[in-house]
Amino acid sequence: MANLPLSTTIKLPNGKAYEQPLGLFINNEFVPGVEGKTFEVINPANEEVITSVHEATAKDVDVAVAAARKAFEGGAWPKTTPAERGKLLAKLGDLLERDAELLASVEALDNGKSISMARGDIGAVINNVRYYAGWADKVHGKVVETAADKFNYIRYEPIGVCGQIIPWNFPLLMWAWKIGPALATGNTIVLKTAEQTPLSALVTCKLVVEAGFPPGVLNVLSGFGKTAGAAISRHMDVDKVAFTGSTAVGREIMKAAADSNLKKVTLELGGKSPNIVFNDADIDEAINWANFGIFYNHGQCCCAGSRIYVQEDIYDKFVEKFKARIKKNVVGDPFDEETFQGPQVSQLQFDRIMGYINHGKEAGAKVEVGGERHGNKGYFIQPTLFSNVRPDMKIMQEEIFGPVAAIAKFKNIDEAIKLGNDSNYGLAAAIHTKDLKTALEVSSKLKSGTVWVNTYNSLHSALPFGGYKESGIGRELGKAALANYTQAKTVQINLA
Amino acid sequence: MTLPLSKELTAPNGVKYTQPLGLFINNEFVKSRAGGTLTTVNPTNEEEIATIYAAEAEDVDLAVKAARAAFENPEWSDITPEARGALLNKLAGLVEENAKVLATIDTWNNGKPYSVCLAEDLGESISVLRYYGGWADKVYGKTIDVGPQKLAYTLHQSIGVCGQIIPWNYPLMASWKLGPALATGNTVILKPSEQCPLSALYLAQLIKEAGFPAGVVNVLPGYGPKAGAAIASHPGIDKIAFTGSTFTGSMIMKAASQTLKNITLETGGKSPLLVFDDADLDQAVKWSHIGIMSNMGQVCTATSRIFVQEGIYDKFIEAFKTQVKEVSKIGDPFNEDTFQGPQVTKQQFDRIMKYISDGQSEGAKLVTGGTKHGDKGYFIAPTVFTDVKDDMRISREEIFGPVVTIASFKTEEEAIRRANDTVYGLGAAIFTENITRAHKVAAKIQAGMVWINSSNDSHFGVPFGGVKQSGIGRELGEYALSAYTNAKAVHGKLPLLRPLQYLKANSLK
């Protein structure tokens, strides 16, 4: 679109209007792309265009990286003390809290998640930013004694210019997970949002300026993976890339990092997480968690409990009760306070998920609930449950990323463990049981970065999160995330 | 005497505010049970500021009951760590909003210059509260791999009810004590000094406003021998933290020993400052002046013994005299130009004057000062003694006033030996441009803190405390957290883990 302005007024479905920045955010300013490209942002609830935004190409990545490099090497940022960095992040946390309702509304509009879930996301965003604000001045190195005439110390220094590529399923929460530890430890950032959901991060850029971050410290680009994302991954002046998204794209990013300057890589990728229910579980609780585990965020969770295994003695009862529970999930308009499940994020995702549903039907799995589109406008899919599934079926092996669960039975603890581990992924898993022995044994044997016992999708700023196997490299959240954005320098002074 | 529980006061700088007069227990201001009171004095003009209630044993009892109940109340014991952190951050914000009033109170009550109090005392308190607000949800236990038979882990739990006795030289050092104690979930009985209790009572209102549940923080001004002693020996108090003189510290340790309380002490110092002949002379003079003359010399870490290598001894003394003359402007602490206010009380004034007289009679050379300043208020001229011998009283005992001793030394070895020749070991400073010497000497000095090319340049992120008779334990930084937690080890015996039996593929149908 020629001459797209740098901001526009958008009216939310709840009647309120707000100023939406549309430009690329570089050096604390909104600018158009060097090549003047733009792309459309679609409302998944009604398939209509919300607005266009400016699009970053490789040339804009160059500009942003140069700004981030300049800010890292000179100016105010390197002179900022750790405590001051923490204070800036804390101020940002306060501003996010002040504008929480607006940000939740933008998120619901752009992503399609229900307004009540979006509010939950924003609450977690604020917690996360505040959590890392507290870490800023607490990253300690060590002094190591080796001999009387040596003085040795280790300092943890920032890595430099960090490329961060985030997904569309939790747009602002993924933004918070990335910028928190990176800024707390003194890095500068070039962050690319997902092309499906660029809006909330742009609104937050205004708060970044208001909080007082120096120009060039955080740069935010709207754009596509194949162009802007690839440009970041292969850029010779980006010191580190952090990516959250599909395993397939994660591979590309790792290759690009290796082929360019061996930039450090952390990846948070896909999952096909098992949700295992033993005979002695509290069935009603387990059903609530199974429902939440797969249908929360419309199944668009890397850690979704998409393979449900129920021990044979309670299997039939469980399936009946679970079907009834699923039917209570309210699917509808994201801005309706009653809604639990909104639309899938895009046409592409909708088609992909419907494709998997068809695969399941063709392979002989039984549709217990759902299996069709919901309504005739917007990318809504009925919450779907397949039974009579075999482990080799596509719907049991591949990440669907939609409101589609597969349920199967198991005999005993050993089989549960084997089935749980029967995947190339290893992001999360859950066990429902009252027995301490079962819980401890199964959790110690599952090859999974997070194991939940009698709960699901319970994440916390303080607890590290990440994958075994092909679900990723490195951990986010908690103190662990700081290691992704620092490097150890050992200094040895000869006192002889 | 029956006093009201608060009074409208107007400070010398015109600031009007409401000064609480009662003891702060369970989020309320109350009278002392036995009716005890104490009177606070403005050291600038020796006039009374206000009379407040003073706690005695019965009041300590009530406060302990309140603190214990609060410790066990889910409103405090069951809130999340980040909720505790949020409360501390809220308090930091309130202290920041009320900084001018708090600085006014402390300047009025303590005599320290207002501009310094606002910038440094208040600035630091706010930072310290925020710093510990950030630690609250980052205190970890460990899981320890001892083999497959056990899930062994540690919990770092709060200690319980903590008695905290703080001094008069930095009244808002209350933040150093409250920060780590509250971040880790303890409850507190804070006893500010009888000389400077007023700002802590004002702070108590902010603690309530921030949202801390009743009984979590209790503030009991009172006399050491009554309130302090009652706290140190109370069986219902789990931990004592004290900052003050070594003499009182050892009495507290004795009292605490009866019930084996967990104890941390930050006591006196006679910190050495070494100037080598390759030092940057201007920096050495600047910092050694700061190191003894700041806060009227009323600093536990004051570098009050200066040792200068003989090659630059004369030059240093001349430059130091000039620095004193140019920088140490004595006057009304509310005056913007003032560097040095009065000493805090008549008692301190008399004590310091006696040391000055001792120094002269022992044969030290008085190079400047040595006299009372003016005829109202407890002002003492900044005083410099040179040609001081190590066995003189002024060289061995903590004076706690604007009095410095300067001596010369020949070799690095001698400097270290004489620096260490003291029962104290709080701070130390070294001036040299030689990096090897700097780090080697730093390692050899017996002190909890060593400054290289500065003095008294502390930071809330860096641990603070003494060795030898300067104290037990550390404050500030991450280190303070272990003073307020107990490590509990939990050994969980695991079921014997069975080997996995691999099943044939078709049994999964």
Side-chain angles (χ1 to χ4, degrees):
Chain A
M1 179 195 279
N3 297 324
L4 180 69
L6 290 173
S7 91
T8 190
T9 307
I10 291 182
K11 190 153 171 233
L12 293 160
N14 61 14
K16 299 202 171 102
Y18 76 101
E19 273 306 295
Q20 171 67 52
L22 304 175
L24 309 179
F25 182 70
I26 301 178
N27 265 332
N28 275 11
E29 282 178 351
F30 291 102
V31 294
V34 167
E35 295 178 278
K37 297 184 86 175
T38 64
F39 65 94
E40 287 179 341
V41 183
I42 310 286
N43 177 349
N46 60 15
E47 307 177 41
E48 289 168 14
V49 175
I50 303 171
T51 178
S52 287
V53 294
H54 291 271
E55 179 188 337
T57 63
K59 292 200 164 89
D60 302 294
V61 169
D62 280 339
V63 175
V65 170
R69 174 60 60 198
K70 188 162 178 223
F72 182 73
E73 303 294 348
W77 191 236
K79 296 196 190 89
T80 309
T81 64
E84 283 163 1
R85 293 199 296 258
K87 219 171 157 197
L88 286 169
L89 277 166
K91 181 81 208 245
L92 182 58
D94 290 345
L95 295 173
L96 290 163
E97 189 170 48
R98 180 193 70 190
D99 294 351
E101 188 61 19
L102 168 65
L103 291 166
S105 305
V106 173
E107 204 79 319
L109 175 70
D110 199 1
N111 168 283
K113 61 178 73 206
S114 70
I115 185 69
S116 58
M117 294 294 153
R119 285 187 194 115
D121 280 20
I122 303 306
V125 168
I126 295 162
N127 276 349
N128 218 273
V129 171
R130 284 185 170 145
Y131 178 78
Y132 285 104
W135 267 123
D137 58 0
K138 301 172 176 69
V139 179
H140 299 151
K142 297 198 191 303
V143 170
V144 181
E145 218 183 292
T146 56
D149 59 1
K150 293 270 190 319
F151 171 46
N152 313 308
Y153 62 90
I154 301 164
R155 272 174 56 100
Y156 289 100
E157 302 186 344
I159 295 186
V161 174
C162 299
Q164 303 186 319
I165 301 169
I166 61 175
W168 47 259
N169 58 344
F170 292 89
L172 207 59
L173 185 56
M174 294 296 100
W175 169 93
W177 284 28
K178 295 279 184 290
I179 68 137
L183 295 178
T185 47
N187 297 276
T188 57
I189 298 171
V190 175
L191 184 142
K192 186 196 87 65
T193 52
E195 62 265 27
Q196 297 87 343
T197 54
L199 300 183
S200 54
L202 290 174
V203 175
T204 335
C205 290
K206 297 205 287 194
L207 304 183
V208 169
V209 177
E210 195 182 339
F213 284 90
V217 170
L218 174 56
N219 306 279
V220 177
L221 305 177
S222 314
F224 290 82
K226 284 190 165 52
T227 46
I232 289 172
S233 316
R234 63 166 186 262
H235 205 290
M236 293 302 286
D237 204 21
V238 168
D239 300 304
K240 185 254 164 48
V241 66
F243 169 78
T244 297
S246 71
T247 296
V249 176
R251 280 204 170 83
E252 292 306 309
I253 293 191
M254 203 168 165
K255 265 188 249 182
D259 285 342
S260 54
N261 62 348
L262 269 177
K263 51 176 68 59
K264 326 269 178 263
V265 180
T266 45
L267 304 172
E268 206 268 279
L269 310 173
K272 192 73 182 179
S273 303
N275 203 345
I276 305 170
V277 186
F278 286 87
N279 285 336
D280 71 333
D282 178 331
I283 289 196
D284 292 328
E285 277 296 297
I287 280 168
N288 275 333
W289 290 118
N291 184 60
F292 188 67
I294 179 57
F295 298 114
Y296 169 63
N297 212 45
H298 332 170
Q300 298 168 142
C301 275
C302 45
C303 51
S306 46
R307 293 183 289 147
I308 302 169
Y309 297 105
V310 181
Q311 203 161 17
E312 52 186 10
D313 291 353
I314 57 163
Y315 178 82
D316 294 328
K317 189 172 171 197
F318 188 98
V319 173
E320 280 317 298
K321 284 190 148 200
F322 192 33
K323 278 164 68 172
R325 177 66 186 84
I326 294 170
K327 288 180 179 150
K328 290 197 190 133
N329 291 339
V330 177
V331 181
D333 173 4
F335 279 85
D336 188 325
E337 298 281 347
E338 298 302 304
T339 297
F340 171 72
Q341 180 181 320
Q344 306 311 121
V345 78
S346 65
Q347 181 72 58
L348 197 82
Q349 285 298 316
F350 176 89
D351 291 339
R352 223 172 137 264
I353 297 159
M354 292 309 294
Y356 275 112
I357 292 177
N358 289 333
H359 274 305
K361 289 175 185 171
E362 281 158 21
K366 179 177 174 212
V367 178
E368 297 279 355
V369 176
E372 304 294 337
R373 182 184 193 179
H374 170 99
N376 50 20
K377 197 164 189 226
Y379 313 124
F380 294 88
I381 296 178
Q382 295 171 346
T384 298
L385 177 66
F386 279 107
S387 65
N388 196 39
V389 288
R390 292 185 321 274
D392 60 298
M393 286 182 180
K394 265 178 132 81
I395 58 170
M396 264 314 225
Q397 287 298 324
E398 296 181 21
E399 188 179 38
I400 299 174
F401 227 63
V404 180
I407 190 164
K409 62 172 83 160
F410 69 91
K411 281 185 169 53
N412 57 39
I413 193 171
D414 291 330
E415 190 184 347
I417 293 168
K418 181 161 200 297
L419 290 169
N421 286 336
D422 181 21
S423 168
N424 292 332
Y425 294 111
L427 189 52
I431 306 158
H432 302 271
T433 175
K434 291 196 186 96
D435 186 83
L436 178 68
K437 287 212 253 299
T438 304
L440 289 176
E441 176 163 359
V442 178
S443 65
S444 71
K445 291 216 162 119
L446 285 172
K447 296 187 179 157
S448 173
T450 293
V451 179
W452 287 300
V453 179
N454 297 331
T455 184
Y456 208 94
N457 276 336
S458 173
L459 273 71
H460 193 286
S461 308
L463 298 176
F465 181 88
Y468 278 44
K469 305 197 280 190
E470 292 179 33
S471 286
I473 295 177
R475 291 289 174 272
E476 297 196 281
L477 299 185
K479 185 178 183 184
L482 302 171
N484 300 339
Y485 294 98
T486 54
Q487 41 196 354
K489 171 181 285 172
T490 298
V491 178
Q492 195 181 135
I493 302 180
N494 187 0
L495 299 179
Chain B
M1 183 198 284
T2 359
L3 297 173
L5 289 172
S6 73
K7 191 174 179 200
E8 285 296 307
L9 296 181
T10 304
N13 61 355
V15 169
K16 285 183 171 39
Y17 75 101
T18 307
Q19 173 66 51
L21 306 177
L23 311 178
F24 184 72
I25 301 178
N26 258 337
N27 274 10
E28 281 180 354
F29 288 101
V30 296
K31 303 182 198 223
S32 58
R33 301 286 285 183
T37 61
L38 61 88
T39 300
T40 54
V41 173
N42 176 355
T44 299
N45 59 14
E46 304 175 40
E47 287 170 17
E48 281 184 14
I49 302 175
T51 300
I52 64 169
Y53 283 106
E56 297 181 20
E58 209 184 329
D59 307 295
V60 171
D61 252 351
L62 286 175
V64 171
K65 283 194 177 63
R68 174 68 51 198
F71 182 70
E72 292 170 359
N73 187 333
E75 263 185 39
W76 179 243
S77 63
D78 285 0
I79 64 173
T80 62
E82 71 245 28
R84 291 199 297 263
L87 286 168
L88 278 167
N89 278 309
K90 186 84 207 278
L91 179 60
L94 290 170
V95 171
E96 196 165 33
E97 279 170 32
N98 287 266
K100 292 197 165 118
V101 178
L102 285 161
T104 296
I105 299 171
D106 270 353
T107 297
W108 193 8
N109 195 185
N110 169 286
K112 58 175 70 207
Y114 177 81
S115 55
V116 176
C117 190
L118 184 62
E120 293 178 17
D121 290 38
L122 264 302
E124 197 199 55
S125 288
I126 295 161
S127 295
V128 168
L129 290 169
R130 285 213 167 103
Y131 180 77
Y132 287 106
W135 266 123
D137 58 356
K138 301 173 178 68
V139 178
Y140 301 143
K142 296 182 197 296
T143 57
I144 301 162
D145 191 350
V146 298
Q149 250 59 46
K150 254 191 193 173
L151 175 65
Y153 63 91
T154 56
L155 297 169
H156 287 202
Q157 301 183 311
S158 22
I159 296 184
V161 175
C162 302
Q164 303 185 319
I165 300 170
I166 60 176
W168 48 258
N169 59 342
Y170 292 92
L172 286 171
M173 197 199 278
S175 60
W176 288 28
K177 300 273 187 289
L178 294 175
L182 298 174
T184 48
N186 297 278
T187 58
V188 168
I189 294 165
L190 181 82
K191 189 199 97 50
S193 65
E194 63 258 32
Q195 296 87 346
C196 300
L198 302 179
S199 54
L201 290 174
Y202 190 92
L203 181 68
Q205 294 172 124
L206 304 182
I207 289 169
K208 180 176 179 178
E209 194 184 333
F212 285 91
V216 171
V217 179
N218 306 279
V219 180
L220 266 49
Y223 289 99
K226 292 217 164 102
I231 289 173
S233 57
H234 202 293
I237 289 180
D238 301 301
K239 187 253 165 43
I240 293 279
F242 168 81
T243 297
S245 71
T246 294
F247 177 71
T248 309
S250 104
M251 288 202 305
I252 295 209
M253 199 169 165
K254 261 187 264 202
S257 71
Q258 286 182 327
T259 46
L260 269 180
K261 290 184 202 326
N262 179 315
I263 182 163
T264 45
L265 301 173
E266 204 269 280
T267 49
K270 191 73 183 178
S271 303
L273 186 150
L274 311 180
V275 186
F276 288 87
D277 52 27
D278 71 336
D280 177 333
L281 190 66
D282 288 339
Q283 287 294 304
V285 167
K286 170 189 163 191
W287 284 106
S288 49
H289 174 266
I290 288 171
I292 181 55
M293 299 304 176
S294 295
N295 213 41
M296 290 63 72
Q298 297 167 147
V299 187
C300 48
T301 47
T303 37
S304 48
R305 286 185 296 150
I306 300 178
F307 295 97
V308 184
Q309 202 158 26
E310 53 185 12
I312 53 163
Y313 182 73
D314 293 327
K315 229 173 146 189
F316 179 90
I317 292 179
E318 278 318 298
F320 193 83
K321 272 170 66 182
T322 306
Q323 188 76 359
V324 168
K325 195 159 167 225
E326 285 177 3
V327 181
S328 289
K329 292 194 168 25
I330 307 183
D332 181 329
F334 279 103
N335 195 319
E336 275 293 303
D337 295 332
T338 297
F339 176 86
Q340 181 181 324
Q343 306 310 121
V344 75
T345 59
K346 175 124 198 347
Q347 192 183 35
Q348 286 299 316
F349 174 89
D350 290 343
R351 217 171 141 265
I352 298 161
M353 293 306 291
K354 172 96 181 15
Y355 275 113
I356 291 175
S357 145
D358 283 347
Q360 290 172 294
S361 56
E362 282 184 306
K365 183 171 167 202
L366 181 64
V367 159
T368 187
T371 56
K372 175 176 187 168
H373 173 98
D375 43 28
K376 204 162 185 225
Y378 312 125
F379 294 88
I380 297 179
T383 301
V384 180
F385 282 106
T386 62
D387 297 353
V388 177
K389 303 272 179 293
D390 292 359
D391 57 353
M392 292 179 180
R393 283 190 70 208
I394 55 170
S395 187
R396 304 208 68 78
E397 296 180 23
E398 188 179 36
I399 299 173
F400 227 63
V403 180
V404 70
T405 63
I406 308 184
S408 72
F409 69 90
K410 285 188 166 56
T411 65
E412 177 181 309
E413 237 174 29
E414 178 200 339
I416 294 171
R417 182 180 45 80
R418 289 166 70 188
N420 288 341
D421 180 22
T422 166
V423 299
Y424 295 111
L426 191 51
I430 307 163
F431 287 83
T432 176
E433 295 295 289
N434 182 320
I435 188 177
T436 306
R437 166 150 59 206
H439 291 289
K440 267 183 156 165
V441 175
K444 291 205 166 126
I445 295 235
Q446 293 161 357
M449 294 162 285
V450 181
W451 287 286
I452 296 175
N453 292 332
S454 70
S455 176
N456 279 271
D457 189 20
S458 302
H459 186 283
F460 55 82
V462 181
F464 183 104
V467 301
K468 295 157 66 171
Q469 292 187 30
S470 287
I472 294 176
R474 290 291 172 270
E475 299 196 275
L476 297 185
E478 183 180 6
Y479 290 70
L481 299 170
S482 51
Y484 288 97
T485 50
N486 281 329
K488 170 185 284 172
V490 180
H491 300 251
K493 187 154 171 298
L494 287 179
L496 230 46
L497 299 178
R498 302 158 306 118
L500 211 45
Q501 285 141 29
Y502 283 87
L503 306 169
K504 290 189 215 143
N506 59 13
S507 68
L508 294 178
K509 283 208 186 108

